[in-house]
Amino acid sequence: MRILGIESSCDETAAAIVEDGQRVLSNQVFSQIEIHQPFQGVVPEIASRNHLLKIMEVVQDGMGGLTPGDIDAVAATEGPGLTGSLLVGLTFAKAIAYAWNKPLIPVNHIEAHAYAPHLTAEIPFPYIGLIVSGGHTLLIRANAHTDWEILGSTIDDAVGEAYDKVAKLMGLGYPGGPILDKLAHEGDPSALPLFRDMPRFLPDTPADRYRFSYSGLKTAMAYRLKQMEATPENLRHAAAAFQKSAVELLTRKTKNALEDTGIKTLTISGGVAANTGLRESLAALGAKGYTVVPAALKYCGDNAAMVAGRAYADYIAGKRGDMRTDAFSRLAFVKKGKRPPADAQGRRNS
Ligand code: KG4
Ligand code: ZN
């Protein structure tokens, strides 16, 4: 079964065709990074208008020379993401599905990221999935593609968001994550006394064993950067200190989830899964008997292959959209995953 996937949740316009959820026949991604660079962040209205400008060309290229007769279904990201951006891809997908008389499969963006490692590897269930991106940081337990639960997520900033904000404070440009990652490798995390005792929230209390917090680390960086002379050498060391703390927190919470559940397989996906420090730190779990499967680099950031792949799993499980399918902006609307119960304070992890 061949599915055309369309992704437009943030600042990438993408289209891909995936066969039976595994063979990627074509994969086109147009990134708006240069368009948003002057603003040092994604401007939602500019993003949606550029999706509108590009979507036709990207989908034509994404067909990879195939014709509508070669396609069995059309899938598109329904959320979470920027509403205006989502509407472009979803509406385009509806129009194609209608015109070509194909089923429409709406795909959850988080579920699509979780699927990305499956595009390049056979992964046995159950597994723990660490999904880290510009908008989300969460640990899931996946029993099957369509049976998973959120173990914990960030209570404030996502890790990618923290990378981007700290990079902005350091004057590194946008998007800051990859630049900060590269700089961190050239620095020594313990060179500057000022950056030694960085906060590592949240502590591993029973309620917070799988929960993350990145706003404290970001604020700590902001205060310390103000007290530091911004020489190139100091910036390298500051980047290294930030990366060490950010990665240690992700690693610690992931280990908690693996140890508590006894599950031996870990997947890593989302834009921040491209981070070299994180990949190294989690790959080290391999020596402790865990199988660690990171998404291939080209499927870490937003792309449509993961959408088409995930759509296959959804289609097999019976999921169909129709012309009333809506877009949604927040993770709280995750429909398929089981939501965790509220804690004593009424907080949920999503
Ligand atoms: O998954 P993605 O493309 O979009 C969202 O769904 O958010 O993730 C983008 C995020 C950005 O915050 C970007 O800075 C971050 O992933 N990122 C990285 C790296 N590459 C991308 N963060 C740290 N290190 C990297 N190498
Ligand atoms: Zn994403």
Side-chain angles (χ1 to χ4, degrees):
M1 178 176 187
R2 294 195 193 110
I3 299 180
L4 166 66
I6 296 177
E7 154 63 29
S8 69
S9 66
C10 189
D11 59 343
E12 268 91 24
T13 321
I17 294 176
V18 177
E19 193 170 53
D20 297 337
Q22 276 219 304
R23 283 177 295 287
V24 181
L25 304 184
S26 68
N27 184 35
Q28 285 290 322
V29 183
F30 169 73
S31 169
Q32 296 181 12
I33 282 179
E34 280 177 22
I35 296 167
H36 297 282
Q37 239 149 13
F39 309 98
Q40 302 222 9
V42 177
V43 184
E45 183 170 334
I46 296 177
S48 44
R49 296 176 75 157
N50 279 283
H51 285 306
L52 200 52
L53 288 173
K54 273 282 170 183
I55 187 104
M56 182 75 113
E57 180 189 327
V58 169
V59 173
Q60 273 170 346
D61 292 347
M63 288 294 286
L66 297 180
T67 63
D70 300 320
I71 307 296
D72 300 292
V74 181
T77 310
E78 59 172 344
L82 302 172
T83 309
S85 292
L86 288 164
L87 290 178
V88 176
L90 194 54
T91 307
F92 197 88
K94 281 188 186 185
I96 292 182
Y98 179 72
W100 294 353
N101 197 21
K102 309 284 177 192
L104 173 75
I105 312 165
V107 170
N108 179 288
H109 188 62
I110 304 301
E111 294 182 335
H113 272 304
Y115 192 88
H118 292 275
L119 290 170
T120 45
E122 287 289 337
I123 306 165
F125 290 100
Y127 63 78
I128 298 295
L130 174 66
I131 304 164
V132 274
S133 74
H136 304 283
T137 305
L138 61 155
L139 278 163
I140 63 164
R141 175 201 168 111
N143 301 315
H145 286 302
T146 50
D147 173 14
W148 58 273
E149 63 184 304
I150 298 173
L151 297 177
S153 64
T154 179
I155 60 162
D156 40 55
D157 290 357
V159 59
E161 187 181 355
Y163 263 90
D164 293 340
K165 286 178 178 167
V166 169
K168 192 170 173 181
L169 291 172
M170 294 171 79
L172 300 179
Y174 167 83
I179 309 172
L180 191 40
D181 181 13
K182 191 164 175 284
L183 201 63
H185 280 275
E186 297 162 13
D188 172 358
S190 48
L192 302 175
L194 189 58
F195 289 84
R196 266 177 211 152
D197 291 313
M198 300 289 279
R200 286 173 175 79
F201 297 127
L202 294 167
D204 291 332
T205 56
D208 291 330
R209 273 180 80 72
Y210 320 122
R211 296 219 281 204
F212 310 84
S213 165
Y214 277 99
S215 79
L217 179 59
K218 177 192 67 190
T219 308
M221 284 298 290
Y223 280 117
R224 285 163 173 79
L225 287 168
K226 270 195 193 134
Q227 296 171 51
M228 180 193 92
E229 199 193 336
T231 62
E233 193 187 357
N234 280 351
L235 285 173
R236 283 197 288 274
H237 296 323
F242 171 75
Q243 174 129 313
K244 182 166 187 270
S245 304
V247 168
E248 265 181 22
L249 177 61
L250 291 172
T251 306
R252 199 177 83 225
K253 299 293 177 182
T254 303
K255 269 189 188 162
N256 288 347
L258 289 167
E259 283 167 13
D260 294 357
T261 58
I263 291 174
K264 294 287 175 200
T265 307
L266 171 70
T267 66
I268 323 162
S269 57
V272 185
N275 184 275
T276 49
L278 180 63
R279 286 174 99 93
E280 275 165 30
S281 172
L282 293 176
L285 291 171
K288 297 193 172 141
Y290 293 101
T291 304
V292 182
V293 192
L297 286 178
K298 63 180 165 184
Y299 303 133
C300 286
D302 290 344
N303 67 87
M306 67 185 191
V307 176
R310 169 72 211 189
Y312 178 72
D314 279 335
Y315 188 85
I316 298 296
K319 187 179 182 184
R320 305 285 188 279
D322 61 27
M323 292 304 146
R324 290 164 301 173
T325 298
D326 197 1
F328 57 89
S329 57
R330 290 185 175 275
L331 181 60
F333 285 77
V334 166
K335 290 172 195 146
K336 285 201 161 267
K338 287 179 233 154
R339 295 194 65 200
D343 64 15
Q345 282 78 44
R347 293 177 305 184
R348 289 180 193 272
N349 281 325
S350 57

